Amino acid sequence: MPKLIDHGERREEIASAAWRVILRDGVGAASVRSVAAEAGLSPGSLRHVFASQSQLLAFAMKLVIDRADARVEALTLRGTGLQSAEDIVVELLPIDEERVIEMEVYLALFAASGSDPMLRDARHDVFTRVRNGCRRIIYLIDHGQNPKPEAEIQGEVTALHALLDGLAAHLVWQPTEMDADQARGIIVSHLRELASRRKND
Amino acid sequence: MPKLIDHGERREEIASAAWRVILRDGVGAASVRSVAAEAGLSPGSLRHVFASQSQLLAFAMKLVIDRADARVEALTLRGTGLQSAEDIVVELLPIDEERVIEMEVYLALFAASGSDPMLRDARHDVFTRVRNGCRRIIYLIDHGQNPKPEAEIQGEVTALHALLDGLAAHLVWQPTEMDADQARGIIVSHLRELASRRKND
DNA sequence: AACTTGATAGTACAATTGTACTTTTATAAT
DNA sequence: ATTATAAAAGTACAATTGTACTATCAAGTT
């Protein structure tokens, strides 16, 4: 029997090396060679784990959401639905360096996914998971209220998702014009207005 | 004296060829050669007009906003501030094919601008122009109301801008999950709530 | 008609890319 | 100790890249 390697772990190592390259030099520079060098591997070794560049980048994209999911799951939720919703949403914003890195990679790969079938699949998967997170948040706010028609809930989920991604994009791409406190304030007041509107009707 | 060419017009021709390439094959495929071929020119000719690839892509990015600006300027504004604001915002959303194309190019270049100095400048310029458009919209809604503290207006401008870009991104990247009517509805109800909140206090 | 000069075409080159392939190394079962 | 085999390294190759360069074309001034 030969040497055996934990493929899952190795994949994460390589993907995080890809993150570093994307952060430093952009998606365009994330070639098989440069990522392999960043990970301290030979291109041949990398190819042993990821059969193609698309696979590598798709994995790197999904890893972003895995990490965010893990952080949200680890949250101990506070009292009211609104408070918990705020905690979750804030966790999804790129408010510290670690989260900025993740978000930058997320957006770069999203925008670069173009027509590559593998990246398109990953993009759709990631989009759906974030959308579901937004749905959970809206349900949390709804908790204890009169149930609303599904169509209205859909609209609110969609709006929250768009606002969240827009804020994230601005935080990453124009940090001089948007800072974490501002973004947090916008999201929190959006949720509060939503909750108070619910109470009033 | 030799043949003289309208450089401005030629630049727009080449930039729109670049748009087509970016749409068809993604930003990564927008090489000097492929864009030249799409425009029916030789790479040498293209280089005569754009000294580098960065210049070409930066120009292509700014052209998107020039077009959108022109459309907004051409609008004959309707009655109340709120109605006009709605007209403008809707004009900025990618609701038909022409606008989808523009937005796709806008986002692709935005995300690819990474650390290229020329693209960074163009990105900042474009961001500022959209931000100013949002400011104009908020002022339109404010029109005739009690003037609000500047800080509050800033927050509303920032939020509107983020929501707008987020909706645009989803329309372009996940058209199956977000359609033009939905996006328009979200933006319009956002503006209406904003206006009614103004009236109440 | 000759010429000047911008516009265009074409070619060349070094660098980098994704992928395929072969060789070497290391480890666990026999 | 031998061996089977996964992992890693290394090499090769065709294709594409940005840019530089030279040659050709065309138009308007003289």
Side-chain angles (χ1 to χ4, degrees):
Chain A
M1 275 290 171
K3 180 179 176 183
L4 279 185
I5 268 259
D6 182 333
H7 266 228
E9 210 169 295
R10 173 70 91 182
R11 283 163 111 85
E12 294 211 5
E13 280 171 32
I14 296 176
S16 75
W19 287 12
R20 291 194 295 276
V21 173
I22 290 173
L23 272 179
R24 194 183 339 111
D25 309 311
V27 218
S31 66
V32 172
R33 276 173 180 77
S34 63
V35 171
E38 177 72 33
L41 292 175
S42 70
S45 267
L46 193 152
R47 216 182 126 63
H48 193 72
V49 178
F50 288 112
S52 75
Q53 192 187 25
S54 296
Q55 264 184 34
L56 162 60
L57 295 181
F59 185 89
M61 182 152 82
K62 288 195 182 179
L63 185 60
V64 173
I65 305 300
D66 285 341
R67 293 271 167 93
D69 266 353
R71 274 206 308 276
V72 170
E73 288 304 320
L75 279 179
T76 47
L77 296 183
R78 290 189 294 170
T80 74
L82 179 56
Q83 280 175 331
S84 296
E86 287 180 18
D87 287 346
I88 293 178
V89 156
V90 164
E91 196 65 38
L92 294 176
L93 277 176
I95 52 170
D96 60 18
E97 197 181 352
E98 182 195 354
R99 289 165 181 76
V100 168
I101 290 176
E102 286 179 9
M103 189 53 64
E104 201 154 340
V105 172
Y106 168 74
L107 289 172
L109 288 174
F110 224 89
S113 51
S115 54
D116 182 308
M118 214 150 228
L119 280 180
R120 277 183 78 96
D121 286 355
R123 182 174 78 178
H124 185 264
D125 178 64
V126 160
F127 181 92
T128 302
R129 285 166 73 183
V130 175
R131 167 74 44 111
N132 287 338
C134 290
R135 199 184 319 278
R136 262 190 66 197
I137 290 165
I138 297 294
Y139 283 150
L140 265 177
I141 290 178
D142 249 357
H143 181 73
Q145 313 281 340
N146 296 337
K148 283 274 159 181
E150 185 62 23
E152 189 173 332
I153 290 182
Q154 282 300 335
E156 280 163 6
V157 170
T158 310
L160 174 62
H161 188 186
L163 183 60
L164 198 62
D165 273 359
L167 286 172
H170 288 181
L171 273 167
V172 163
W173 286 333
Q174 295 300 333
T176 55
E177 320 281 340
M178 168 76 80
D179 61 67
D181 284 340
Q182 219 176 346
R184 186 168 24 219
I186 289 172
I187 277 283
V188 166
S189 68
H190 178 89
L191 291 181
R192 294 218 173 120
E193 269 161 39
L194 213 144
S196 79
R197 211 180 327 137
R198 279 294 159 82
K199 227 171 251 163
N200 290 342
D201 49 32
Chain B
M1 275 292 173
K3 181 178 175 183
L4 279 184
I5 269 260
D6 183 334
H7 265 229
E9 211 169 293
R10 173 70 90 182
R11 287 164 108 87
E12 294 209 6
E13 281 172 31
I14 297 176
S16 75
W19 287 11
R20 292 194 294 276
V21 173
I22 290 173
L23 272 178
R24 192 180 344 109
D25 309 311
V27 217
S31 67
V32 172
R33 274 172 181 77
S34 64
V35 171
E38 177 72 32
L41 293 176
S42 69
S45 267
L46 193 152
R47 215 182 127 61
H48 194 70
V49 178
F50 288 112
S52 74
Q53 193 187 24
S54 296
Q55 263 184 33
L56 162 61
L57 296 181
F59 184 89
M61 182 151 84
K62 288 194 182 181
L63 185 60
V64 173
I65 304 300
D66 287 340
R67 295 269 168 95
D69 266 354
R71 274 205 310 275
V72 170
E73 288 304 318
L75 280 179
T76 47
L77 296 182
R78 290 190 292 172
T80 74
L82 178 57
Q83 280 174 332
S84 298
E86 287 179 19
D87 287 345
I88 294 178
V89 155
V90 164
E91 195 64 37
L92 294 176
L93 277 177
I95 51 170
D96 60 18
E97 198 183 350
E98 182 196 353
R99 290 166 181 75
V100 168
I101 290 175
E102 287 178 9
M103 188 55 64
E104 200 154 340
V105 172
Y106 167 73
L107 288 172
L109 288 175
F110 224 90
S113 52
S115 55
D116 184 307
M118 213 148 228
L119 280 179
R120 277 184 78 95
D121 286 355
R123 181 175 77 178
H124 186 263
D125 178 63
V126 160
F127 181 92
T128 303
R129 285 166 73 184
V130 176
R131 168 71 49 105
N132 287 338
C134 290
R135 199 185 318 279
R136 262 188 67 196
I137 291 164
I138 297 295
Y139 283 150
L140 265 177
I141 292 179
D142 249 357
H143 181 74
Q145 312 281 342
N146 295 337
K148 284 277 161 181
E150 186 60 26
E152 190 174 328
I153 291 182
Q154 281 302 335
E156 280 164 5
V157 170
T158 310
L160 174 61
H161 188 186
L163 182 59
L164 197 62
D165 273 0
L167 286 171
H170 288 181
L171 272 167
V172 163
W173 286 333
Q174 295 299 332
T176 55
E177 318 282 339
M178 166 77 80
D179 62 68
D181 284 340
Q182 217 178 349
R184 189 170 19 223
I186 288 172
I187 276 282
V188 166
S189 68
H190 177 89
L191 291 180
R192 294 215 174 123
E193 269 162 37
L194 213 143
S196 78
R197 210 181 326 136
R198 277 292 159 81
K199 230 172 249 165
N200 290 343
D201 49 31

